[in-house]
Amino acid sequence: MTSPQSDESHPRIRDHSLLTRIVSADVAAGLIRDGMVVGMSGFTRSGEAKAVPLALARRAATDPVGITLITGASLGNDLDGLLADSGVIQRRLPFQSDARLRAKINDGSVMYLDQHLSETVEQLRSGQFPKPDIAVIEAAAITEDGGIVPTTSVGNSAGFATQARQVIVELNTCAPAALEGMHDIFIPADRPAREPLFLRNPDDRIGTPVIRVDRDRIAAIVLSDRQDSYANLGDADDDTRAISHHITAFLEREVRRGALPPSLPPLQAGIGSIANSVLSGLTDAPFSNMTMYSEVLQDSAFDLMDSGKLDFASASSITLSAARHADVMGRLDHYKDRLVLRPQEISNHPEIVRRLGIVAINTALELDIYGNVNSTHVMGSHMMNGIGGSGDFARNAGLSIFVTKSQAKGGLVTSVVPMVSHVDHTEHDVDVLVTEQGLADLRGLAPRERARVIIDTCAHPGWRDTLSDYFERACRRGGQTPHVLEEAFDWHSSFRTTGAMVRRMANAGTASA
């Protein structure tokens, strides 16, 4: 809901000179023209502007408009799907997770640029991609001097707001007032004269609590009262609990041998049920005084705080399940001194990740016998969501861990394959692979050694013989990384035609499925 209120005061707009710029969502959406580049707030279904995109989708029904839409990551409240169905989105970057938008990406009607999340604003800043014509930013408040207080995510909002010709502020009265002061907004200088980032610990603050914007560029303020979407976090199951147990046991061994401190290095975890379950499992682990330097804080981060195990968490957004959202948002003052939200170019900054020695835990769609990981494309061609920040962390982390269940589709698909159908993370960036079957520590192993460990440890028992058969025949052909190239994607091809992966073993007359 939105309503113009230009002749009245508003407790969250403390710069009274801006009160005359309050307009309806429809009026604000009218500023967005066909062919524009539009930057919108939002990161992992939290902190997105809500009223203006809805108004833009309504307008497109009678006044077609097509834009390039750039965000921090995925939008909530089905906005990506609504904007895609209405024809508004013609080009989209850098990440999405909506089924309807995904369908249009995969049929070629929407051009999608899947990017490392640390790079988008850098490309805008350096002129590699057109700067936004308009930025639409959700805010919890506007301060006395015109500073914009973000809500539950920062994402790319600060970069959009500082670079766009015009800014639309969507003031969400549902956002807790306690969010003010939780953000650390730092905008790096232009290269090559940029100074080092003096962020030495997750709880350091190097910026300001608000986004600074020239008042003259604030073209409209829209009042909104719509909640963030809830995270779709499934309950932990036997497989995710097993994955969590394998990782916890591994980290305990690393601490015992002196490779990691008892508090562990700062943790990063990707989004989704598996990553959330893995972190929640640490509440019962013998680690304390832990910290996080991550992109997203899910339920597990607050579980760890409540257990007394997690001292501080730095991220770019907070994305919570329905069961946890009201509780956390209602007690933000309780958590406030232990949280900070940053722009994603800082939360995912490769130099900081490398220097802090992050333990990174991210999710794979599939992995191959040599340790390459596919995290984006189903059967090599169809986009799922995107690479997100996993590459920012995997390549630069002190310890890079990828997790997945060993099978999918009720056992018709193995997640461990001879060769991944799309490579997002090469074997060079992967230290540890984990499924419910076990954990493969790949550090210090040559490709042929990695293959044996991955097959024996991570693959489901029902697929190990066929994987071993492939590997042994590949080794007879020789090579540093042996393959039977004419068969490497047979399993994927079989799924595309039959709905199940099938691999015929060379020395058997029966197929394995």
Side-chain angles (χ1 to χ4, degrees), residues 11 17 80 115 132 179 212 222 250 290 313 402 422 443 508:
S17 70
D80 266 325
Q115 294 185 315
L179 286 165
R212 299 289 180 193
V222 173
F250 168 73
M290 291 186 289
F402 278 90
H422 177 90
R443 296 173 297 175

mmCIF file of all heavy atoms in Angstrom, residues 11 17 80 115 132 179 212 222 250 290 313 402 422 443 508:
data_model
loop_
_atom_site.group_PDB
_atom_site.id
_atom_site.type_symbol
_atom_site.label_atom_id
_atom_site.label_comp_id
_atom_site.label_asym_id
_atom_site.label_seq_id
_atom_site.Cartn_x
_atom_site.Cartn_y
_atom_site.Cartn_z
ATOM 1 N N PRO A 11 7.294 10.630 10.713
ATOM 2 C CA PRO A 11 8.324 10.435 11.739
ATOM 3 C C PRO A 11 9.614 9.818 11.208
ATOM 4 O O PRO A 11 10.667 9.971 11.831
ATOM 5 C CB PRO A 11 7.637 9.514 12.755
ATOM 6 C CG PRO A 11 6.519 8.856 12.006
ATOM 7 C CD PRO A 11 6.067 9.873 11.015
ATOM 8 N N SER A 17 12.762 18.916 4.414
ATOM 9 C CA SER A 17 12.803 19.492 3.069
ATOM 10 C C SER A 17 12.405 18.473 2.010
ATOM 11 O O SER A 17 12.081 18.847 0.875
ATOM 12 C CB SER A 17 14.200 20.039 2.766
ATOM 13 O OG SER A 17 15.143 18.979 2.609
ATOM 14 N N ASP A 80 10.356 -10.528 -9.267
ATOM 15 C CA ASP A 80 11.030 -10.908 -10.506
ATOM 16 C C ASP A 80 10.057 -11.588 -11.462
ATOM 17 O O ASP A 80 10.076 -11.329 -12.674
ATOM 18 C CB ASP A 80 12.212 -11.834 -10.205
ATOM 19 C CG ASP A 80 13.536 -11.074 -10.059
ATOM 20 O OD1 ASP A 80 13.726 -10.076 -10.777
ATOM 21 O OD2 ASP A 80 14.363 -11.484 -9.228
ATOM 22 N N GLN A 115 26.607 -13.013 -12.729
ATOM 23 C CA GLN A 115 27.863 -12.378 -12.335
ATOM 24 C C GLN A 115 28.280 -12.753 -10.920
ATOM 25 O O GLN A 115 27.443 -13.043 -10.067
ATOM 26 C CB GLN A 115 27.722 -10.850 -12.397
ATOM 27 C CG GLN A 115 27.509 -10.288 -13.777
ATOM 28 C CD GLN A 115 27.501 -8.774 -13.751
ATOM 29 O OE1 GLN A 115 26.872 -8.144 -12.903
ATOM 30 N NE2 GLN A 115 28.213 -8.165 -14.682
ATOM 31 N N PRO A 132 23.129 3.218 -13.837
ATOM 32 C CA PRO A 132 21.662 3.271 -13.743
ATOM 33 C C PRO A 132 21.117 4.661 -14.054
ATOM 34 O O PRO A 132 21.687 5.674 -13.630
ATOM 35 C CB PRO A 132 21.390 2.902 -12.279
ATOM 36 C CG PRO A 132 22.625 2.202 -11.803
ATOM 37 C CD PRO A 132 23.750 2.832 -12.560
ATOM 38 N N LEU A 179 16.687 -1.057 12.883
ATOM 39 C CA LEU A 179 17.693 -1.273 11.837
ATOM 40 C C LEU A 179 18.653 -0.099 11.729
ATOM 41 O O LEU A 179 19.799 -0.266 11.294
ATOM 42 C CB LEU A 179 16.999 -1.491 10.484
ATOM 43 C CG LEU A 179 16.323 -2.847 10.274
ATOM 44 C CD1 LEU A 179 15.379 -2.789 9.074
ATOM 45 C CD2 LEU A 179 17.369 -3.930 10.074
ATOM 46 N N ARG A 212 24.762 8.079 1.570
ATOM 47 C CA ARG A 212 24.776 9.515 1.312
ATOM 48 C C ARG A 212 24.420 9.785 -0.145
ATOM 49 O O ARG A 212 25.049 9.247 -1.050
ATOM 50 C CB ARG A 212 26.160 10.098 1.606
ATOM 51 C CG ARG A 212 26.611 9.940 3.053
ATOM 52 C CD ARG A 212 25.829 10.848 3.970
ATOM 53 N NE ARG A 212 26.249 10.719 5.357
ATOM 54 C CZ ARG A 212 25.579 11.214 6.380
ATOM 55 N NH1 ARG A 212 24.458 11.890 6.170
ATOM 56 N NH2 ARG A 212 26.006 11.044 7.619
ATOM 57 N N VAL A 222 8.316 7.240 -1.805
ATOM 58 C CA VAL A 222 7.078 6.463 -1.792
ATOM 59 C C VAL A 222 6.952 5.773 -0.439
ATOM 60 O O VAL A 222 7.927 5.209 0.071
ATOM 61 C CB VAL A 222 7.088 5.409 -2.921
ATOM 62 C CG1 VAL A 222 5.881 4.489 -2.818
ATOM 63 C CG2 VAL A 222 7.127 6.102 -4.281
ATOM 64 N N PHE A 250 35.258 -32.762 10.682
ATOM 65 C CA PHE A 250 36.449 -32.310 9.951
ATOM 66 C C PHE A 250 37.059 -31.073 10.606
ATOM 67 O O PHE A 250 38.280 -30.991 10.816
ATOM 68 C CB PHE A 250 36.067 -32.006 8.501
ATOM 69 C CG PHE A 250 37.111 -31.264 7.721
ATOM 70 C CD1 PHE A 250 38.274 -31.896 7.292
ATOM 71 C CD2 PHE A 250 36.950 -29.910 7.421
ATOM 72 C CE1 PHE A 250 39.235 -31.202 6.573
ATOM 73 C CE2 PHE A 250 37.905 -29.211 6.715
ATOM 74 C CZ PHE A 250 39.054 -29.862 6.284
ATOM 75 N N MET A 290 32.816 -17.754 17.943
ATOM 76 C CA MET A 290 32.885 -17.743 16.489
ATOM 77 C C MET A 290 32.402 -16.409 15.926
ATOM 78 O O MET A 290 31.671 -15.652 16.570
ATOM 79 C CB MET A 290 32.042 -18.880 15.915
ATOM 80 C CG MET A 290 32.593 -20.264 16.187
ATOM 81 S SD MET A 290 31.662 -21.573 15.336
ATOM 82 C CE MET A 290 30.136 -21.565 16.286
ATOM 83 N N ALA A 313 28.413 -11.205 13.602
ATOM 84 C CA ALA A 313 28.141 -11.599 12.222
ATOM 85 C C ALA A 313 28.092 -10.370 11.323
ATOM 86 O O ALA A 313 27.376 -9.403 11.599
ATOM 87 C CB ALA A 313 26.826 -12.366 12.128
ATOM 88 N N PHE A 402 32.480 -27.319 -0.518
ATOM 89 C CA PHE A 402 31.223 -27.393 -1.266
ATOM 90 C C PHE A 402 30.438 -28.611 -0.804
ATOM 91 O O PHE A 402 31.003 -29.687 -0.602
ATOM 92 C CB PHE A 402 31.480 -27.469 -2.771
ATOM 93 C CG PHE A 402 31.743 -26.122 -3.387
ATOM 94 C CD1 PHE A 402 33.034 -25.631 -3.476
ATOM 95 C CD2 PHE A 402 30.701 -25.339 -3.842
ATOM 96 C CE1 PHE A 402 33.283 -24.383 -4.021
ATOM 97 C CE2 PHE A 402 30.938 -24.087 -4.386
ATOM 98 C CZ PHE A 402 32.224 -23.607 -4.481
ATOM 99 N N HIS A 422 28.751 -28.092 -16.591
ATOM 100 C CA HIS A 422 29.060 -26.657 -16.621
ATOM 101 C C HIS A 422 30.004 -26.403 -15.450
ATOM 102 O O HIS A 422 29.760 -26.893 -14.348
ATOM 103 C CB HIS A 422 27.790 -25.812 -16.470
ATOM 104 C CG HIS A 422 28.043 -24.333 -16.422
ATOM 105 N ND1 HIS A 422 28.063 -23.545 -17.557
ATOM 106 C CD2 HIS A 422 28.304 -23.502 -15.388
ATOM 107 C CE1 HIS A 422 28.307 -22.295 -17.213
ATOM 108 N NE2 HIS A 422 28.467 -22.244 -15.901
ATOM 109 N N ARG A 443 42.879 -31.464 -0.518
ATOM 110 C CA ARG A 443 44.104 -30.677 -0.431
ATOM 111 C C ARG A 443 45.331 -31.578 -0.576
ATOM 112 O O ARG A 443 45.427 -32.630 0.056
ATOM 113 C CB ARG A 443 44.149 -29.920 0.894
ATOM 114 C CG ARG A 443 43.029 -28.892 1.045
ATOM 115 C CD ARG A 443 42.994 -28.293 2.426
ATOM 116 N NE ARG A 443 42.706 -29.303 3.439
ATOM 117 C CZ ARG A 443 42.710 -29.074 4.748
ATOM 118 N NH1 ARG A 443 42.976 -27.857 5.201
ATOM 119 N NH2 ARG A 443 42.430 -30.031 5.594
ATOM 120 N N ALA A 508 29.945 -55.060 -18.442
ATOM 121 C CA ALA A 508 28.674 -55.661 -18.025
ATOM 122 C C ALA A 508 27.637 -55.392 -19.097
ATOM 123 O O ALA A 508 27.684 -54.379 -19.787
ATOM 124 C CB ALA A 508 28.206 -55.098 -16.685
#
